[in-house]
Structures are given as structure tokens and as C-alpha cells.
Amino acid sequence: MSHRSERRGIHVDQSELLCTKGCGFYGNAAWQGLCSKCWREEYQQTRHKQIQEDHALAERLQREEEAAYANNHQGAPQPAIAPFSKFEERKTKEKSRKVNTVTKFFTPSAKTPPKKDSVHGEALSTPSPSVSRKPLETDRTTQEFIDFLKTLKPGREIFKQCRAFTESMAYKRDLGADELSECVQDFYQNLSDRLHTHFKGSSERVESVMDEVERYMMTRLYEEVFCPETTDDEKKDLAVQKRIRALHWVTIEMLCVPVDEEIPEVSDNVVKAITDVIEMDSKRVPRDKLTCITRCSKHIFNAINTTKKEAASADDFLPTLIYIVLKANPPRLQSNIQYITRFCNPSRLMSGEDGYYFTNLCCAVAFIEKLDGQSLNLSTEEFELYMSGQASPQRPQAAPSPPGSAAFSQMNERLDLLTGLGVRQERVMEGARRLESDLIDWRDGVEHKVQDVLERFPLEMHPPASPTASSAIDADNMENDHLPPPLQPQLFAG
């Protein structure tokens, strides 16, 4: 194995994390490097262009059909053919439906008298019976959402529209993931615009409302929209897990991670970071999943700062995040990333620390998927040997300890001890395998001997003795004079 004196760490320019259109927001690999805003614009333009092309194709096919019909039935009355405009009608209805979902947010309903809250006097609907049949977490989230909206003037209408939207999503399970994401993002955008108008530009107040809206909606929709059957998210999860398991041999030195796990505080932060990124899968709300990523990233920064005794840089953070993901191998990693990408409040992904850390996580996963020998300062032959399991990377040789250095001497002794323990363990395992083989041979030999004895001496079954034979067992001794006389009963005067 060749040892290189110069090691090239993992470096990602911070400009690569931003939207490729130069809008200043964070991009995402799932959106081809675009931010959520630019991606939606591109997606809507592509979709509109596709609808126009389908409409033009339908009209052309209709004209050809009419011409063919006219040629085959000249002089005969032609039946009226309805214009083929399903594509445009569907688009118009979908657009009007999205707009109408938030047109009555701040208009009081006159159909039924609202129920007044005892404290604020605001009209607020109670959950429908279908909500009460949801799991306990859904019921609790619904009640918390209602309690939060009681402090808002338009709270009743917000809850009414959110509940109606989530219930309508049950009829859209056959849609693709992009269409489901489009519906949710349109609802977020329309509601956010209304709230900005109502709160007169108070971004903090709008964000707090949108966070609660996202929590309520995605808790109810989680089962329907997380890893839907119309996507290949599950297949990607398995591929990433298999890839990470194959890279179990990657060491902290190969990634040039500036973390010393021998320091107890650093080791504790590494364990916490691994726990947080694994915990992400247990959350239902995209914002809660982002919070897990943010906590993981902060533990990583703490570990780097403790090791280097100075502030960590972006070039230190990304390799360490890759190392944490490799050690954790989080469950359903791609599904969680796609879920956050599709259904999180877009403002959180476009800017802020949550968006920055999430973008770095996406970069880390993309790096793991494309990892090669050059990225780890290895030759192609070495990389292939490690990936196939034919060889394992050797621990780098420790430098000669300076005279009087007890710490280095102790470290070398422990390394030698570990090496000896490894050899002893191999010997013990070999002996255990031989013992297992001997036990199997002994059992087979015993079974063979028992079978041989049974064949040589078959078991003979005799019928049970008759009652007359047992009663006459002393028939020959009836006239024997040496038998004692029978016992006679005696009376004792009491």
C-alpha cells in the first residue's frame, strides 16, 4: 500500500451550495441545483409547455380523424365531434381549485353560527369525527393547532381551510410525488401571501403561523405522502444503505476529518451527532426532521472546535458530516431527504441555518454515492480491493516516540496488545470451528452406533401376564409345613 505525503481533503466551494440561477438562495441536488422557488418556476413552465404540446397533438389527431372520416363517408351526414380539449380544461380547473382554497380565509362563514371561544370570543371549528379516529399523535397535534389558532383573528378560517385541504389530499393518492408536492407548496404559497397581507409584512408572525400549519398538515398527511408507492424512494434507500455498508472500511484519516475521538468530549459529540441523524427518521414533520439535522451539525462543529481549539470552517464541516453519515447509516435516508424537499415550508430550505445544514447533508449523500479512490487519496487498485473485502486498510504507523514520552510508549504498547488480541481471537475462532465439527462428527457416530445395535438386537415385545398366572404364583407351596401360621385377630381389654 502506498502512503502519500500530501493528502487532499474534501473541499466544496460555498457557491456550489447556492442556486444555479444565482438568486442567492440555497439549491438542492433533487432540484438539479435550483432553489425551491426557481424549481417551481421551471417545473410549471415545463408542465405548461407539455400541456400545450399535448393539446396541439390532440388537435392534430382530431383533424386527421375528421379528414379520414370525411374521405370515407363523402356525402353522408357527419356526426358532431366534440373538441378534444381535456388537457386545457384539466389545467384550468386545477388552477381555479388552488386559488379558491384560500379565497375565504378572512371572510366569516354565514352558513352556520360559529362556536365562540370562552376566552377570546373567536369562532373556531372543532375537529371532525374522522380526526378523532386518527392516532394519538395526530389528535394531540390537532388540539395544539386549535389552541394556537385561538390567539389569531382569522384562526377559524385557517383551520377550516387546512382541514379541508388535508381531507381533499386523500383523493389524490394516485398522483405522482411531484404533483402532491405541487399541491402542498401551492397551498403554502397562497396561505403565506394572505398572511403577509393580514399581518402587514410581519415575517416573524407569518413564519410562526406557517410552522404550525406545516406541523398540523404533515402530521395528518404523513402516511399518504412519505415514500409514496409512485416513487422509487425505497429503492434509493436500499441502494444508499448498501453503499454505506460497503464503505465501512473508510477511516477518519482518509477523509481528513479534523476530529480526535480519543478526547472524551469530542467522542461524546460524535455519538450525539450520530444519534440525531438517526433520530430524523422517527419524526413526522419536515421541520422536526430539519431540527435533527441542525442539532447533528452543531454537535459536529463542537467536536471540531474542541479538537482544533479554534473555530471550524466549511472545509472541516463537510468531511466530518460525511464521516458521521458513514458511521450512522441512517434509515430511509433518501426518503427523508425527498420528504423534506417536497413538503417542507420552502422558506426554511431557501435560507437560514436549517437550509444550510440540509444542503450540506444533500452534498454529503451525493459525495458518498460517487465516492472513488481519488476522493480518499487511494489508487484505483486499493479502492477496489477494499470495496470487494479482499483487503482492509492498515492503521498508519505511529511515529517514533521521543525519549521520555510515556504517552507514546503506552499507545504503542496498547496497539501491540490489540494486535495480539486479534491474533488470539482468530485462534479461538478456529478452535471453536474445529470443536463444532468434532461435535457434529461425534453426534453422527453415536446415531450410527445406536442404529446398528437396534438392527442387531431388535426389540421383542411380550404380551402381559394373565391374572390367573399371577394368582397361582404360590400354588406349589400350599402344603409346605415351614410356612408360618396365619395371623389371628386378638382382643385387648381397654
Side-chain angles (χ1 to χ4, degrees), residues 330-381:
R332 301 191 293 184
L333 181 56
Q334 282 288 3
S335 291
N336 282 289
I337 290 177
Q338 293 297 331
Y339 178 71
I340 295 172
T341 300
R342 293 165 183 156
F343 303 106
C344 184
N345 186 356
S347 61
R348 287 194 171 274
L349 300 182
M350 294 166 60
S351 60
E353 65 176 4
D354 289 344
Y356 174 76
Y357 294 139
F358 178 71
T359 304
N360 275 275
L361 177 62
C362 296
C363 289
V365 176
F367 178 86
I368 291 173
E369 292 175 339
K370 301 177 181 178
L371 193 65
D372 56 9
Q374 185 179 5
S375 305
L376 301 175
N377 305 283
L378 299 173
S379 65
T380 305
E381 293 77 12

Side-chain angles (χ1 to χ4, degrees), residues 257-445:
V257 176
V259 168
D260 184 5
E261 293 186 89
E262 296 296 329
I263 303 175
E265 184 179 353
V266 174
S267 177
D268 184 59
N269 278 288
V270 169
V271 172
K272 290 180 179 179
I274 293 174
T275 304
D276 287 330
V277 75
I278 293 176
E279 186 183 359
M280 173 179 61
D281 184 60
S282 65
K283 304 299 181 182
R284 285 175 169 253
V285 184
R287 181 193 174 193
D288 293 342
K289 293 181 182 291
L290 280 178
T291 301
C292 292
I293 298 173
T294 301
R295 287 203 309 265
C296 169
S297 302
K298 289 184 177 180
H299 288 310
I300 290 175
F301 274 110
N302 291 336
I304 297 174
N305 295 339
T306 304
T307 302
K308 297 183 64 175
K309 307 298 183 182
E310 61 183 14
S313 64
D315 290 339
D316 298 330
F317 171 67
L318 184 58
T320 311
L321 179 60
I322 294 172
Y323 175 69
I324 294 297
V325 173
L326 288 176
K327 291 195 69 174
N329 197 358
R332 301 191 293 184
L333 181 56
Q334 282 288 3
S335 291
N336 282 289
I337 290 177
Q338 293 297 331
Y339 178 71
I340 295 172
T341 300
R342 293 165 183 156
F343 303 106
C344 184
N345 186 356
S347 61
R348 287 194 171 274
L349 300 182
M350 294 166 60
S351 60
E353 65 176 4
D354 289 344
Y356 174 76
Y357 294 139
F358 178 71
T359 304
N360 275 275
L361 177 62
C362 296
C363 289
V365 176
F367 178 86
I368 291 173
E369 292 175 339
K370 301 177 181 178
L371 193 65
D372 56 9
Q374 185 179 5
S375 305
L376 301 175
N377 305 283
L378 299 173
S379 65
T380 305
E381 293 77 12
E382 290 174 333
F383 182 80
E384 294 299 331
L385 285 174
Y386 296 156
M387 289 295 292
S388 62
Q390 299 178 11
S392 298
Q394 298 294 328
R395 184 182 297 271
Q397 296 292 332
S401 57
S405 178
F408 279 101
S409 300
Q410 187 178 12
M411 182 183 68
N412 291 330
E413 291 176 0
R414 291 181 177 179
L415 289 176
D416 295 338
L417 178 61
L418 289 174
T419 303
L421 289 175
V423 175
R424 291 176 59 187
Q425 183 182 11
E426 288 295 330
R427 293 175 182 174
V428 171
M429 294 300 298
E430 182 64 26
R433 286 190 289 267
R434 286 198 303 267
L435 178 60
E436 181 182 9
S437 178
D438 294 342
L439 288 174
I440 293 174
D441 294 340
W442 175 80
R443 184 189 63 185
D444 294 341

Side-chain angles (χ1 to χ4, degrees), residues 227-259:
C227 193
E229 297 180 356
T230 56
T231 65
D232 59 348
D233 293 347
E234 186 175 358
K235 181 179 179 181
K236 292 179 179 179
D237 290 334
L238 297 176
V240 171
Q241 282 194 341
K242 182 178 179 181
R243 175 70 172 174
I244 292 177
R245 284 197 298 267
L247 293 169
H248 68 278
W249 49 268
V250 176
T251 63
I252 198 170
E253 293 81 12
M254 293 178 180
L255 294 170
C256 299
V257 176
V259 168

Side-chain angles (χ1 to χ4, degrees), residues 47-62 82-96:
R47 187 178 180 185
H48 180 67
K49 181 180 179 181
Q50 184 66 37
I51 291 175
Q52 289 181 338
E53 292 177 354
D54 293 342
H55 182 64
L57 177 61
E59 289 184 343
R60 182 173 62 82
L61 294 176
Q62 179 183 347
F84 198 128
S85 58
K86 297 293 183 181
F87 299 98
E88 195 67 29
E89 291 177 5
R90 184 183 304 172
K91 177 191 171 185
T92 304
K93 290 180 180 180
E94 183 71 14
K95 183 177 180 181
S96 61

